[in-house]
Amino acid sequence: MNTTNLKYVDLTFYRDELLYDIKNYCYIESHVMEEDAEEAKHTVADVGETGNVDRVTRLLNLYFSEVVESLYPYTKTEINKTTDSDVFTEPEKYEVHLSLPESMSITTVRLMRDLIHEFLVCMVVGDWLSITNQKSSETWVEKGKYAKERLRSIVNSRGGVIRRKSHPF
C-alpha cells in the first residue's frame, strides 16, 4: 500500500454503549426462556452486575484485540515498548486507528464500524450464554462469526488480496 495515498481514520467504541447492547440482549434472552427457569433467567440477565461485568470486560478486551489483529493490513504499527502485562483494565473506550487506501469510502468505514460493534457484542453475549444458557449460545456466536467474516471480506476486497480456494476442476 502506498503510504502517500492514505486516509487515517479512528473508530471509537465506547464501553458503555457495548455494555448497553450486551445487557439488553441478555435481558431479552432471559425473557424468552421457559417459564419454569426463573433462577436461570436471573443469571442470564445479570450479565452487567458487579463481578459478572469483569468477565464481560475481559472478553471485550480479548475480542477487540482480535478485531485489531484481523484488520492488520490497516492497523499495523511498529512495536514501541518491550513489556506488557495481563493487568485487568477497564477501558472507557476502544479505539482502532486505521490507515486506509484513498479509494476507501465513508460508507465502507461505517460498515466496518457497525460490523466491529456487532462482532464484539455478539461474541460476548455468546460467551455469557455458554455459561448461563447454552441453548442460545451458538446462535450469538454464529452472529459474531458472520460479522467478522463480513469484515474480513471488506479487508480482502479493498486491500487487493485475493485468495481463492483450490478446486480440482
Side-chain angles (χ1 to χ4, degrees):
M1 195 176 339
N2 184 350
T3 58
T4 58
N5 296 328
L6 293 177
K7 292 180 185 178
Y8 300 96
V9 176
D10 294 332
L11 298 178
T12 304
F13 302 90
Y14 292 92
R15 183 173 176 274
D16 287 344
E17 296 296 319
L18 295 165
L19 286 175
Y20 175 83
D21 283 349
I22 291 164
K23 289 189 269 188
N24 190 41
Y25 292 151
C26 286
Y27 176 81
I28 292 167
E29 278 289 335
S30 74
H31 274 66
V32 298
M33 291 173 66
E34 298 171 11
E35 289 296 321
D36 61 344
E38 210 52 46
E39 182 60 36
K41 286 181 175 194
H42 290 294
T43 306
V44 169
D46 287 347
V47 67
E49 298 301 314
T50 303
N52 296 344
V53 76
D54 293 344
R55 172 71 181 159
V56 170
T57 299
R58 285 195 185 274
L59 289 169
L60 282 172
N61 295 348
L62 170 68
Y63 291 125
F64 182 74
S65 294
E66 188 176 323
V67 163
V68 172
E69 181 62 22
S70 72
L71 293 170
Y72 176 77
Y74 304 134
T75 60
K76 59 185 171 193
T77 55
E78 293 188 23
I79 296 173
N80 57 14
K81 64 180 182 177
T82 58
T83 62
D84 209 346
S85 72
D86 68 345
V87 173
F88 180 74
T89 58
E90 193 174 279
E92 182 179 314
K93 58 188 174 183
Y94 298 89
E95 294 178 299
V96 182
H97 308 289
L98 301 165
S99 303
L100 301 171
E102 197 173 66
S103 62
M104 185 81 71
S105 72
I106 190 64
T107 56
T108 303
V109 172
R110 288 176 181 153
L111 177 59
M112 290 171 70
R113 177 201 62 204
D114 294 344
L115 289 169
I116 292 168
H117 181 97
E118 184 74 1
F119 171 74
L120 294 171
V121 169
C122 289
M123 293 305 286
V124 171
V125 170
D127 184 87
W128 182 252
L129 292 174
S130 75
I131 298 167
T132 60
N133 185 25
Q134 291 181 351
K135 289 184 214 173
S136 296
S137 175
E138 192 57 35
T139 300
W140 290 97
V141 170
E142 287 303 315
K143 287 175 184 271
K145 287 179 180 178
Y146 177 72
K148 186 176 179 194
E149 188 55 41
R150 290 199 52 212
L151 184 62
R152 185 176 299 131
S153 73
I154 291 170
V155 171
N156 289 339
S157 68
R158 296 294 183 158
V161 176
I162 298 174
R163 294 195 177 130
R164 296 187 179 164
K165 294 180 181 178
S166 300
H167 295 288
F169 302 102

